[in-house]
Amino acid sequence: MSTENEGTAVPPAPSAPPVPVDAPAASTPQASEAGAPTTPIPPVPPHASGGAQGPELVHAGPARAYASAEGGAQQGASDAPPQHPGPGPEGAWPPPQAPGTPLYADGGAGGAGGAWGSGYQQPAPKPKSGRGGLVAAVLVAALVAGGVGGGLGYTLAKDNDNGSSTTLSASDSGGSVKRDAGTVAGVAQRALPSTVTIEAESTSGEGGTGTGFVFDTQGHIVTNNHVVADAVDGGKLTATFPNGKKYDAEVVGHAQGYDVAVIKLKNAPSDLKPLTLGNSDQVAVGDSTIAIGAPFGLSNTVTTGIISAKDRPVASSDGSGSNASYMSALQTDASINPGNSGGPLLDAQGNVIGINSAIQSTSGGGLGGTSQSGSIGLGFAIPINQAKYVAQQLIKTGKPVYAKIGASVSLEDSTGGAKITTEGAGGSDPVEAGGPAAKAGLKPGDVITKLDDHVIDSGPTLIGEIWTHKPGDKVKITYERGGQTHTVDLTLGARAGDS
């Protein structure tokens, strides 16, 4: 149901004759139970009973017809009533009452009572006594008291006038507004100057908008790979700060599998302030989160939420049909949308705990694609501990380095674990000869169910969990073979580049 016109104030009824000033107040009649009220109806107050009250909306629609005695809208009365109605067809305004009929009927016998447009007859003069006189006397007394008070006030002011003004003026300022460092406003105030809106454009003119944040004082900006992918091969890349200053930039390195990229500002300013990096391993479910980005191109947008889950296996794609990205993500309900990609996910102290990278969408859209799907409260961020390592590698060598076990696993959805395939990619061996898995005794057909204490339910989950580690890390692998469960230690290997 549309609420576009709800909340419109009911206009007053057509004018009725004034109450005689010398009529006793006690004789004020009541409205007839059967007829329409004969006194002007004031605008209905917001708290009035007699019908549901709609919200008070700006730009409400045209005013409805005059209200009935219950406060609802009178149906079929969209036109204003005539000022001098006379006899008319049945259902029209009531005709003037016969001479001698009381103007303000009280519902007694002999008729339905007066109505709007009824004739008016001045009643006979009555003695000025009783309650009406008391009201007048009280009014006069009030005026006299007001005059005396005013005169007394003037006299006191005059007698105490020593040349200085006694006039008190209201303050024109509410005082300075202080925002504590731990508030959302305080965090945003510190973090916003170190975030940028990134525009990437390919040589064919295609591109999009994303977000990044200052990583160091040399001008390096961390963002998502899918934000800058269009500008990798000779495209155009710019970064704009909240103060409006825009800088050309270039891609230093990008990791498709991690979905992390580093760009560098050309002619970077000397006053860059890198955001403080937190420890994503210490994040707990329920911790407050603050996301900064440019959702749908709306730069410098701040949203809040909590960490709603940790170690969430996520496989995402930029929609190009190329290899997917895998992460063991931080899940947050902070509102993030297309354009938030690459922006910082902060904790309550303003430390970066993740890089906003993907969202769950009911229509299958994501932050990396062209879909305009919006937030439904399921956003995913790359843990900053992993992103920090990747960014440092990209700055150092320009290429990502991935941890690996040296075995091919099925990428089909399952709940039983990650199964080592019987054939490797491109016809290669499913278990790399001399690799970590081979040295640990793993074979094709084995189903990996745990990596350390993390449950593995599928191949993508295993990949995402492996990539949270560095090459050379020792992990414990739990696997099943022939109905038997085995556990083995494994030292992760390394793979450079995305190919």
Side-chain angles (χ1 to χ4, degrees):
M1 179 184 67
S2 174
T3 60
E4 181 179 356
N5 292 322
E6 290 183 6
T8 304
V10 178
S15 299
V19 179
V21 295
D22 55 353
S27 64
T28 302
Q30 300 296 323
S32 169
E33 295 179 359
T38 56
T39 54
I41 298 179
V44 177
H47 59 277
S49 60
Q53 298 297 319
E56 187 175 277
L57 302 179
V58 181
H59 302 302
R64 297 193 184 276
Y66 293 106
S68 67
E70 288 77 19
Q74 181 175 328
Q75 299 299 322
S78 59
D79 295 329
Q83 296 182 355
H84 303 287
E90 183 177 355
W93 291 91
Q97 301 297 315
T101 303
L103 176 65
Y104 304 117
D106 58 3
W116 298 327
S118 298
Y120 172 71
Q121 183 176 6
Q122 179 71 31
K126 295 183 179 181
K128 296 182 178 180
S129 60
R131 189 172 179 181
L134 176 60
V135 172
V138 171
L139 178 60
V140 172
L143 291 174
V144 172
V148 172
L152 180 61
Y154 170 77
T155 302
L156 291 176
K158 182 176 183 300
D159 292 343
N160 289 281
D161 187 9
N162 56 6
S164 61
S165 173
T166 58
T167 302
L168 298 178
S169 60
S171 174
D172 59 357
S173 173
S176 60
V177 178
K178 295 183 178 179
R179 295 177 175 87
D180 295 336
T183 63
V184 174
V187 170
Q189 194 173 42
R190 297 193 311 275
L192 276 170
S194 297
T195 62
V196 296
T197 299
I198 297 173
E199 295 181 7
E201 184 178 319
S202 67
T203 54
S204 62
E206 298 179 350
T209 300
T211 309
F213 62 92
V214 177
F215 188 71
D216 58 28
T217 57
Q218 285 71 49
H220 290 110
I221 305 293
V222 172
T223 185
N224 281 142
N225 170 71
H226 70 257
V227 169
V228 302
D230 288 324
V232 168
D233 297 321
K236 182 180 179 181
L237 195 65
T238 62
T240 305
F241 285 85
N243 61 8
K245 293 184 178 180
K246 178 181 289 189
Y247 297 85
D248 291 331
E250 59 184 355
V251 178
V252 172
H254 60 104
Q256 187 177 35
Y258 290 123
D259 197 17
V260 174
V262 176
I263 67 174
K264 187 174 183 180
L265 304 178
K266 297 179 180 179
N267 301 316
S270 59
D271 58 348
L272 290 176
K273 295 181 179 180
L275 291 181
T276 303
L277 305 185
N279 186 345
S280 53
D281 290 340
Q282 296 179 352
V283 171
V285 173
D287 282 351
S288 296
T289 57
I290 302 169
I292 300 179
F296 300 107
L298 301 174
S299 300
N300 315 316
T301 296
V302 178
T303 55
T304 63
I306 62 169
I307 293 293
S308 49
K310 291 182 63 177
D311 304 320
R312 185 70 77 192
V314 174
S316 62
S317 173
D318 61 5
S320 64
S322 56
N323 295 331
S325 301
Y326 300 95
M327 69 183 90
S328 183
L330 298 174
Q331 180 180 315
T332 180
D333 65 349
S335 180
I336 56 177
N337 291 282
N340 275 103
S341 286
L345 184 68
L346 309 171
D347 61 18
Q349 289 71 45
N351 304 310
V352 181
I353 55 175
I355 301 176
N356 300 317
S357 181
I359 59 173
Q360 180 67 43
S361 173
T362 54
S363 63
L367 289 183
T370 58
S371 171
Q372 289 299 297
S373 301
S375 172
I376 58 173
L378 293 173
F380 305 98
I382 304 166
I384 194 60
N385 288 8
Q386 175 183 351
K388 176 183 177 181
Y389 163 74
V390 176
Q392 290 172 337
Q393 288 293 322
L394 294 177
I395 293 172
K396 182 178 180 180
T397 67
K399 293 184 179 181
V401 178
Y402 298 91
K404 68 174 187 177
I405 64 170
S408 297
V409 295
S410 172
L411 299 181
E412 296 179 357
D413 292 336
S414 66
T415 57
K419 183 177 181 179
I420 299 178
T421 59
T422 56
E423 291 185 5
S428 63
D429 293 334
V431 177
E432 179 186 338
K439 291 180 180 179
L442 295 174
K443 298 179 180 180
D446 290 346
V447 179
I448 299 174
T449 58
K450 277 188 177 183
L451 191 152
D452 290 333
D453 294 329
H454 296 276
V455 175
I456 304 300
D457 59 5
S458 65
T461 301
L462 176 63
I463 296 172
E465 192 60 41
I466 290 173
W467 286 354
T468 63
H469 293 78
K470 301 179 181 65
D473 285 352
K474 292 184 178 181
V475 296
K476 182 174 291 186
I477 298 292
T478 301
Y479 66 96
E480 294 180 355
R481 178 190 297 168
Q484 300 293 320
T485 300
H486 306 273
T487 300
V488 65
D489 291 331
L490 182 150
T491 300
L492 295 173
R495 174 174 65 86
D498 280 313
S499 58

